[in-house]
């Protein structure tokens, strides 16, 4: 059945009147065109963060907008639309993620399962993490927000059963060939001149290596040899890459995921991590990155002890994509490192 404004309003009214937690909660405003939505946006300076707005397309697609601009879901399923509206209502009321899950479960047990799964259908059994997330990728999330140890955390993965050579990758980006050949470690760079030389030159350096299925390259500003040799880059066999970039002075933190030569982003472009709020899916519901929504929800439920949303997000990246960095190697200075070739102090 094609969704109309009348059927949507009727379905919401039946749901709201049938559950005490939704009594007197009206249907969010429904725009019939993007022009109308933009007009609302022009008058919405006082709108609250996270307020849900709806756009109803001519074909019956209901589009949820977190504020006037950012689309959070799109569905032609009436029951799904009602659930997503109720989820937004419960999240806006505040409380922990567990409390939101419990509230939705009291309205409808299936809704509770759906919210806990992080997906749209609530299917599948997800096992609890059962380990310390700070021993994986999340350990670096806090310092990375201050661009320490590096501004850019880049990860590269080849086809299954193959690997991306970390030394070749570092050389391609401009690492000093002599230091790469010598097996220079971070502690070697830090030891020069009692560490002062590295303190002055750390913006000219990089760290690289492999962790799990991914090869990593950490650096600050654009490397001098980045993509200079496209054929050599293609020969590395890279199928996927993930770029995490921090600009702390501007509070801009981004995620860029490339797979088979195209950005995976649901037409959102590079994702800003600052958009993520605990209890709210960071990516388009049901979209290409819905796997990350599911992983984030599991991180929230499994690790209420994590107070930083960046730590939760990084743990979700580890769980969903397998990203990780060797914490001990960085702490002990054993990670491979080099300065950019030709850079002078």
């Amino acid at each position: 059945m094609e969704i109309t404004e009348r059927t949507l309003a009727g379905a919401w009214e039946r749901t709201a009147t049938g559950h005490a937690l939704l009594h007197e909660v009206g249907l969010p405003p429904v725009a019939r065109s993007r022009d109308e939505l933009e007009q609302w946006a022009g008058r919405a300076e006082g709108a609250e963060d996270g307020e849900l707005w709806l756009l109803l397309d001519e074909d019956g697609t209901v589009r949820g907008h977190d504020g006037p601009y950012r689309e959070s879901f799109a569905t032609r399923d009436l029951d799904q639309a009602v659930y997503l509206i109720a989820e937004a209502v419960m999240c806006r009321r505040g409380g922990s993620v567990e409390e939101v899950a419990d509230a939705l479960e009291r309205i409808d047990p299936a809704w509770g399962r759906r919210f806990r799964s992080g997906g749209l259908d609530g299917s599948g059994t997800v096992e609890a993490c059962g380990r310390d997330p700070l021993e994986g990728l999340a350990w670096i999330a806090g310092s990375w927000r201050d661009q320490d140890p590096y501004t850019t955390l880049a990860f590269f993965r080849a086809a299954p059963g193959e690997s991306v050579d970390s030394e070749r990758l570092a050389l391609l980006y401009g690492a000093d060939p002599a230091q790469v050949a010598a097996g220079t470690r971070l502690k070697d760079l830090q030891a020069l001149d009692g560490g002062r030389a590295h303190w002055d030159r750390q913006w000219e350096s990089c760290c690289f290596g492999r962790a799990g299925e991914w090869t990593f390259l950490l650096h600050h500003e654009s490397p001098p040899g980045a993509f200079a040799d496209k054929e050599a880059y293609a020969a590395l066999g890279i199928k996927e890459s993930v770029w995490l970039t921090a600009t702390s002075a501007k509070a801009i933190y981004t995620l860029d995921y490339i797979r088979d030569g195209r950005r995976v982003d649901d037409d959102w472009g590079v994702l800003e991590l600052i958009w993520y709020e605990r209890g709210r899916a960071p990516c388009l519901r049901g979209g290409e990155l819905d796997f990350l929504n599911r992983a984030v929800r599991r991180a929230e439920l499994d690790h209420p002890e994590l107070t930083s949303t960046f730590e939760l997000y990084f743990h979700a990246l580890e769980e969903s994509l397998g990203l990780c960095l060797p914490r001990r190697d960085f702490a002990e200075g054993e990670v491979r490192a080099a300065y950019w070739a030709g850079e002078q102090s």
Side-chain angles (χ1 to χ4, degrees):
M1 179 181 68
E2 182 176 303
I3 300 175
T4 65
E5 188 169 355
R6 181 177 179 179
T7 59
L8 181 61
W12 177 253
E13 183 179 3
R14 289 191 297 274
T15 300
T17 56
H19 301 281
L21 290 172
L22 297 176
H23 277 175
E24 300 182 0
V25 177
L27 183 71
V30 181
R32 298 305 301 267
S33 69
R34 294 194 179 275
D35 287 342
E36 185 177 5
L37 194 65
E38 290 176 4
Q39 289 175 8
W40 290 356
R43 303 191 297 267
E45 289 187 10
E48 297 182 37
D49 290 341
E51 182 178 356
L52 181 65
W53 297 16
L54 302 176
L55 172 63
L56 183 59
D57 289 347
E58 291 183 358
D59 66 358
T61 300
V62 180
R63 300 183 183 277
H65 285 254
D66 187 9
Y69 303 111
R70 185 171 180 264
E71 184 173 296
S72 57
F73 68 81
T75 181
R76 299 183 68 178
D77 183 296
L78 183 59
D79 291 338
Q80 195 173 86
V82 170
Y83 163 75
L84 288 165
I85 295 169
E87 181 187 274
V89 170
M90 293 297 104
C91 286
R92 283 193 63 199
R93 288 185 177 177
S96 69
V97 177
E98 187 66 43
E99 287 170 338
V100 173
D102 288 343
L104 288 167
E105 193 167 43
R106 288 200 299 273
I107 298 171
D108 186 329
W111 284 10
R113 291 192 297 272
R114 188 180 302 184
F115 182 79
R116 291 176 189 279
S117 78
L120 285 177
D121 56 11
S123 63
T125 301
V126 182
E127 295 184 3
C129 175
R131 60 187 178 80
D132 183 356
L134 297 183
E135 290 301 321
L137 181 65
W139 69 268
I140 203 172
S143 65
W144 173 77
R145 290 191 63 184
D146 294 321
Q147 299 174 245
D148 177 28
Y150 289 96
T151 301
T152 299
L153 314 179
F155 300 84
F156 307 84
R157 182 161 63 178
E162 301 178 7
S163 62
V164 178
D165 188 294
S166 62
E167 290 190 356
R168 289 174 58 194
L169 179 71
L171 290 170
L172 179 62
Y173 273 81
D176 187 317
Q179 291 180 332
V180 172
T184 301
R185 308 282 171 172
L186 180 60
K187 64 182 180 182
D188 300 325
L189 298 185
Q190 294 171 336
L192 296 176
D193 192 21
R196 180 172 180 81
H198 183 64
W199 176 263
D200 292 337
R201 296 190 61 191
Q202 59 184 324
W203 284 83
E204 304 166 4
S205 71
C206 67
C207 285
F208 59 94
R210 279 184 53 78
E213 297 178 347
W214 295 85
T215 294
F216 61 86
L217 177 70
L218 281 52
H219 58 84
H220 284 295
E221 298 173 349
S222 297
F227 301 106
D229 189 334
K230 293 183 179 180
E231 291 186 0
Y233 185 82
L236 290 171
I238 295 170
K239 296 297 182 182
E240 297 174 85
S241 60
V242 177
W243 303 76
L244 290 155
T245 305
T247 308
S248 58
K250 298 180 180 180
I252 298 175
Y253 310 95
T254 60
L255 165 70
D256 199 7
Y257 177 34
I258 309 295
R259 186 173 61 205
D260 294 326
R262 61 174 292 272
R263 177 177 289 148
V264 182
D265 64 353
D266 296 306
D267 294 326
W268 279 15
V270 177
L271 298 176
E272 287 197 32
L273 274 63
I274 205 74
W275 278 105
Y276 164 55
E277 297 178 34
R278 192 185 301 264
R280 295 180 180 172
C283 306
L284 183 70
R285 306 298 292 276
E288 291 184 303
L289 290 170
D290 204 41
F291 67 86
L292 185 54
N293 290 332
R294 292 175 179 269
V296 165
R297 182 57 42 74
R298 289 312 317 168
E300 292 170 339
L301 292 169
D302 289 346
H303 300 289
E305 76 280 6
L306 294 184
T307 58
S308 166
T309 54
F310 281 80
E311 290 175 347
L312 287 168
Y313 206 114
F314 273 46
H315 182 55
L317 288 171
E318 179 186 2
E319 289 294 294
S320 59
L321 289 172
L323 301 183
C324 56
L325 288 170
R327 184 176 190 176
R328 179 176 293 181
D329 285 355
F330 276 88
E332 298 177 357
E334 292 291 339
V335 65
R336 295 286 299 277
Y339 290 118
W340 300 130
E343 296 286 346
Q344 299 295 325
S345 59

